Amino acid sequence: MLAKVNSAALYGIDALRVEVEIDLASVLPQLATVGLAEGAVKESKDRIRAAIKNCGYSFPAKKITINLAPADIKKEGSAYDLPMAIGILAAEGLIQKDRLKEYLMAGELSLDGEVKPIRGALPIAAAVKRENLRGLILPQANGPEAAVVREIDVLGVKNLPELVEFLNGEKVLNRTHVDLEELFSQHCLYDSDFNEVKGQQHVKRALQVAAAGGHNVILVGPPGSGTTMLPKRLPTILPDLTLSEALETTKIHSVMGLLDGKPIIAIRPFRSPHHTISDAGLVGGGTVPKPGEVSLAHNGVLFLDELPEFKRNVLEVLRQPLEDANITVSRALGSINYPASFMLVAAMNPCPCGFFTDPQKECGCTPLQIQRYRSKVSGPLLDRIDIQVEVPALRYQDLASRDPGEPSDAIRKRVNTARTIQLERFQKRGLHANAQMGTKDIKRYCVVKEGAEKLLETAINKLGLSARAYSRVLKVGRTIADLEGAEEIQPAHISEAIQYRSLDRRL
């Protein structure tokens, strides 16, 4: 006796349709799972047996063969519990088979038959729509997340008997509906604001420029100067997240099980990994490849605090995603491409003790120690960071000031205006921000006035800027001009952009 149930396997940040085939044979009782099933999938036989018995159904005393097709794709996780249990009951004749082909199922079973939440509900729902199936049956807790995908029936179930009754036509399951606009309004609020930062006006200005053009930033300052507090508030001034960006970001977090009950991510992600992270943890990897921190920061900010403390090989793997806005993880069974379009924000002390630029505290580091400390960050990586800013220690007047400062909402309005200008400029090129410009784009859109050319020539000769750093200055100058609504890049714009190459002057 044979039964077939539709399910899905997560592959990268997408889901692929998997057919769960159940065969019952009247021989010695045995349960075998084939089709590249990982540990959690093989363990499901004990959960399924207990769930079926505890729900009042008889578990067949036969040889049960479960095939997960296609067999050349690894299957992992506990989401196959529900389709396997339904398949066994259908093969035993306890469920009508005609409705099984209309739906895709995914869910973890507890021993009492309760259906528990799973990872990847959103990409699975997208796969249902792509396969032209009628709907998706999954845990009730995952319903709002999956219902973001329209034009399919999303049915949430609480337990195994409820689903059996539905498939036999004895019960009706209500379709899950969500209002995307309402979801956005409920989940688009930030917990912090730029007006909470005292002083540091020039650093705030640099971060505003970075947000307007999507530029990477490094902040260099002593402990307590705000090099951690400022980056944490950077997402609050980034452009509003669009629906397509929100869906793509949500898919990545859904695959990793990081949604924390939220149906959609409506704010820019902020990721701050510890400096002990491995290269696989940063860019993605593993036996069954999973997204890394650069992908979890997609459409948001990746913050690397204490940059020189990161391992050299970990920092070097950032080069490709910084240039290409994606990362490819290759394994023996194939390659997976993960999106990785993020703003890199890094922070470091000016020296090992941290007080080289602090006027109040004496630095005990030798010039050689400072040089070694800063050389931990390679030149090629620094060249890929558009804006380099020194953050001075805060004065008492700044700390005691009662001036609330400019709120994030006001800054974000200016940033949105500048991004709108860039979207109109690059609408035929498919770019979203000035930081993404290539060589041809720079030649076309970064034409400078005669006075600005002389400033650039002086900067290159005296500061020894590399060719990549020269391009960075032009991109930042273009962004500053956009913030002011200027069509041409003026000398003042280039002058400010050159000021944001502080490490080129120091090293």
Side-chain angles (χ1 to χ4, degrees):
M1 296 173 37
L2 180 68
K4 296 182 180 181
V5 183
N6 294 313
S7 190
L10 296 176
Y11 189 76
I13 63 169
D14 295 312
L16 303 176
R17 181 178 177 179
V18 170
E19 196 169 50
V20 181
E21 300 175 329
I22 312 292
D23 177 69
L24 302 185
S26 298
V27 293
L28 290 175
Q30 181 185 359
L31 197 158
T33 304
V34 296
L36 276 184
E38 294 294 305
V41 184
K42 292 180 179 179
E43 291 175 354
S44 64
K45 61 182 180 181
D46 297 317
R47 293 192 297 271
I48 293 170
R49 180 182 286 107
I52 289 177
K53 288 183 176 180
N54 290 329
C55 288
Y57 306 108
S58 61
F59 193 83
K62 301 176 181 179
K63 180 181 179 181
I64 304 173
T65 304
I66 303 176
N67 179 41
L68 305 176
D72 59 343
I73 296 176
K74 282 191 176 182
K75 323 297 188 308
E76 63 165 353
S78 56
Y80 300 101
D81 290 4
L82 187 61
M84 285 180 180
I86 292 297
I88 291 173
L89 294 176
E92 187 69 357
L94 300 177
I95 294 177
Q96 299 177 13
K97 299 179 182 179
D98 53 341
R99 303 187 69 179
L100 294 178
K101 60 184 178 181
E102 299 178 352
Y103 294 93
L104 188 148
M105 302 179 193
E108 177 184 342
L109 286 175
S110 64
L111 300 185
D112 61 356
E114 180 187 354
V115 184
K116 293 184 175 182
I118 58 170
R119 296 184 293 111
L122 180 57
I124 290 174
V128 171
K129 182 178 179 180
R130 186 175 65 248
E131 295 289 337
N132 294 317
L133 296 175
R134 178 177 177 179
L136 171 62
I137 299 173
L138 77 174
Q140 198 170 58
N142 293 117
E145 176 192 341
V148 171
V149 179
R150 298 171 179 175
E151 300 175 8
I152 64 170
D153 293 341
V154 176
L155 307 177
V157 293
K158 296 180 180 178
N159 50 57
L160 182 60
E162 186 179 53
L163 179 54
V164 172
E165 292 174 6
F166 167 73
L167 294 173
N168 286 331
E170 301 169 359
K171 185 172 184 175
V172 176
L173 293 178
N174 294 324
R175 181 180 176 184
T176 306
H177 294 274
V178 295
D179 187 336
L180 280 180
E181 293 183 1
E182 185 178 349
L183 283 178
F184 258 72
S185 63
Q186 290 177 352
H187 297 92
C188 68
L189 301 177
Y190 291 92
D191 297 330
S192 55
D193 198 283
F194 240 61
N195 60 12
E196 298 167 352
V197 182
K198 300 288 187 179
Q200 307 294 22
Q201 296 304 321
H202 77 290
V203 185
K204 292 181 181 179
R205 166 66 179 178
L207 292 180
Q208 177 183 331
V209 173
H215 302 288
N216 302 319
V217 187
I218 184 169
L219 305 177
V220 184
S225 59
T227 53
T228 301
M229 186 178 187
L230 281 159
K232 287 183 177 179
R233 283 151 181 77
L234 179 59
T236 67
I237 66 170
L238 288 175
D240 299 321
L241 206 62
T242 64
L243 177 59
S244 61
E245 289 177 331
L247 290 176
E248 193 171 28
T249 304
T250 305
K251 283 175 67 176
I252 300 171
H253 286 72
S254 175
V255 166
M256 295 296 289
L258 299 175
L259 289 181
D260 297 327
K262 294 182 291 186
I264 194 170
I265 293 179
I267 60 175
R268 300 278 176 180
F270 178 86
R271 303 294 300 181
S272 180
H274 193 260
H275 60 77
T276 56
I277 192 172
S278 65
D279 51 356
L282 189 64
V283 300
T287 306
V288 179
K290 288 184 171 59
E293 291 291 333
V294 296
S295 296
L296 291 171
H298 181 59
N299 292 322
V301 175
L302 176 66
F303 177 50
L304 302 183
D305 202 3
E306 303 294 342
L307 186 65
E309 301 302 325
F310 284 79
K311 297 177 183 177
R312 184 71 172 242
N313 66 303
V314 173
L315 293 181
E316 294 307 308
V317 297
L318 281 174
R319 293 194 198 179
Q320 186 217 334
L322 283 175
E323 290 289 338
D324 302 336
N326 63 72
I327 185 73
T328 301
V329 179
S330 298
R331 292 294 181 269
L333 291 176
S335 298
I336 300 178
N337 196 316
Y338 293 115
S341 177
F342 59 90
M343 275 185 62
L344 174 64
V345 181
M348 60 181 288
N349 294 326
C351 65
C353 75
F355 301 112
F356 179 57
T357 59
D358 194 327
Q360 304 296 327
K361 298 180 180 180
E362 184 177 355
C363 172
C365 303
T366 65
L368 181 59
Q369 288 175 323
I370 296 174
Q371 181 66 27
R372 285 178 177 173
Y373 176 75
R374 294 195 172 190
S375 65
K376 291 181 180 179
V377 184
S378 68
L381 180 61
L382 283 178
D383 271 352
R384 287 169 170 81
I385 298 178
D386 302 354
I387 297 178
Q388 305 164 356
V389 186
E390 291 189 3
V391 184
L394 282 168
R395 302 173 301 170
Y396 172 77
Q397 292 88 336
D398 294 326
L399 292 172
S401 174
R402 295 186 178 182
D403 182 9
E406 192 174 21
S408 295
D409 288 343
I411 301 175
R412 189 164 62 247
K413 287 180 181 178
R414 293 197 296 271
V415 170
N416 279 327
T417 301
R419 282 290 182 99
T420 301
I421 294 173
Q422 294 165 46
L423 288 173
E424 292 176 355
R425 176 187 299 138
F426 302 129
Q427 59 181 345
K428 294 183 180 180
R429 293 278 294 114
L431 306 179
H432 301 92
N434 288 332
Q436 299 174 341
M437 285 192 291
T439 304
K440 292 183 179 179
D441 300 311
I442 293 174
K443 289 182 179 179
R444 181 174 180 181
Y445 300 114
C446 296
V447 179
V448 296
K449 303 281 286 185
E450 183 177 349
E453 285 185 356
K454 293 181 179 179
L455 272 176
L456 279 170
E457 182 181 357
T458 303
I460 291 173
N461 292 334
K462 290 190 176 182
L463 302 180
L465 297 182
S466 66
R468 185 176 279 114
Y470 168 76
S471 299
R472 301 291 191 241
V473 170
L474 289 175
K475 291 180 183 180
V476 174
R478 178 68 269 172
T479 301
I480 297 171
D482 291 340
L483 278 170
E484 296 184 2
E487 293 185 6
E488 295 183 337
I489 302 177
Q490 305 293 333
H493 304 150
I494 291 297
S495 178
E496 182 178 352
I498 292 173
Q499 291 178 16
Y500 297 143
R501 302 298 303 182
S502 61
L503 292 181
D504 291 330
R505 298 196 297 271
R506 288 280 184 180
L507 295 179

